[in-house]
Amino acid sequence: KAGVTQTPRYLIKTRGQQVTLSCSPISGHRSVSWYQQTPGQGLQFLFEYFSETQRNKGNFPGRFSGRQFSNSRSEMNVSTLELGDSALYLCASSPNGALQETQYFGPGTRLLVL
Amino acid sequence: AQKITQTQPGMFVQEKEAVTLDCTYDTSDQSYGLFWYKQPSSGEMIFLIYQGSYDEQNATEGRYSLNFQKARKSANLVISASQLGDSAMYFCAMREGKTSYDKVIFGPGTSLSVIP
């Protein structure tokens, strides 16, 4: 099976712009979670989608949003970019997001905001 | 309060030696899952091992084993026969069982360097 894929891998934006990141989960996985990783804050949970519905949300401002399509692919959008949004954005998938299920991660998208 | 604590920001180990990476967690749930991930400098998170709170035996996966002490809320990762390729960040993570799909919480990580 192909792993989790994320596009683009690298992105450079300027403050005030918006950005959309894409994640394709492992085939058959319906749960997709997004994380932000920075040197200062570590790995922080953004949100989780399951069957096109957001089930969980972390403590991020409304500028961070996401959606999931019927084929389980997910997109994450950040509007009005700030310098502090520079980070590695990781997407992870699992079959149903259940307690004992392992999340499998994609390679991440490195976003740099100038 | 920190849900996952990894007290070793950085560690060194000699090649072929064993190393233990510490992880303590905080939860009031009886049902939860514990995970260890490896993150090389490339950035991708690689799943290593899983331990369920009701599992009576410690999990093992090849050179990785998990020393699970439930009463102490401890889930230490043991890597046997370290290899140069083991140099990476290691994250302990937990999913609690309040609902069937609670989010996964990660610890701050431990940077492991394997010395030839």
Side-chain angles (χ1 to χ4, degrees):
Chain A
K1 270 186 181 178
V4 178
T5 58
Q6 291 186 246
T7 56
R9 294 291 311 277
Y10 303 91
L11 209 46
I12 300 175
K13 292 286 188 179
T14 55
R15 277 182 300 174
Q17 287 187 309
Q18 76 161 22
V19 66
T20 299
L21 313 182
S22 180
C23 172
S24 292
I26 292 172
S27 177
H29 286 193
R30 295 187 294 168
S31 169
V32 175
S33 295
W34 288 89
Y35 296 85
Q36 181 197 65
Q37 186 177 25
T38 59
Q41 299 297 318
L43 267 157
Q44 292 186 286
F45 173 78
L46 280 156
F47 28 66
E48 186 229 1
Y49 285 87
F50 179 81
S51 291
E52 302 178 64
T53 301
Q54 187 182 90
R55 284 200 304 198
N56 267 306
K57 191 176 190 307
N59 296 324
F60 279 83
R63 300 185 296 107
F64 292 81
S65 63
R67 59 177 175 169
Q68 186 180 36
F69 302 94
S70 58
N71 61 358
S72 294
R73 189 177 71 84
S74 177
E75 286 182 348
M76 190 193 103
N77 185 274
V78 187
S79 63
T80 318
L81 283 166
E82 300 177 0
L83 296 179
D85 297 333
S86 295
L88 176 66
Y89 290 88
L90 291 163
C91 161
S93 77
S94 67
N96 299 293
L99 178 67
Q100 74 281 8
E101 290 178 0
T102 297
Q103 288 187 325
Y104 293 92
F105 284 78
T109 294
R110 291 190 186 272
L111 171 64
L112 176 62
V113 182
L114 301 175
Chain B
Q2 290 276 4
K3 288 268 188 177
I4 303 284
T5 302
Q6 295 180 253
T7 57
Q8 308 148 314
M11 285 195 70
F12 291 89
V13 64
Q14 202 77 36
E15 194 178 5
K16 300 179 185 175
E17 296 291 312
V19 63
T20 298
L21 306 184
D22 295 341
C23 172
T24 56
Y25 57 91
D26 181 27
T27 181
S28 57
D29 287 349
Q30 295 303 309
S31 182
Y32 51 89
L34 297 159
F35 304 82
W36 276 92
Y37 285 88
K38 170 185 176 182
Q39 187 179 40
S41 56
S42 60
E44 187 165 354
M45 298 283 283
I46 302 167
F47 166 71
L48 296 177
I49 197 166
Y50 166 80
Q51 179 86 41
S53 59
Y54 292 116
D55 294 340
E56 293 188 353
Q57 292 198 326
N58 287 341
T60 60
E61 290 283 348
R63 294 187 299 111
Y64 305 106
S65 61
L66 202 152
N67 184 0
F68 181 46
Q69 298 185 46
K70 194 170 181 176
R72 297 180 61 184
K73 294 186 177 177
S74 163
N76 298 339
L77 176 71
V78 180
I79 305 174
S80 63
S82 297
Q83 302 171 356
L84 295 178
D86 294 335
S87 294
M89 283 290 292
Y90 288 81
F91 292 93
C92 178
M94 175 176 67
R95 191 201 297 265
E96 296 173 289
K98 288 190 181 63
T99 68
S100 63
Y101 48 81
D102 265 344
K103 62 189 180 188
V104 178
I105 302 165
F106 284 80
T110 294
S111 176
L112 177 67
S113 297
V114 180
I115 305 165

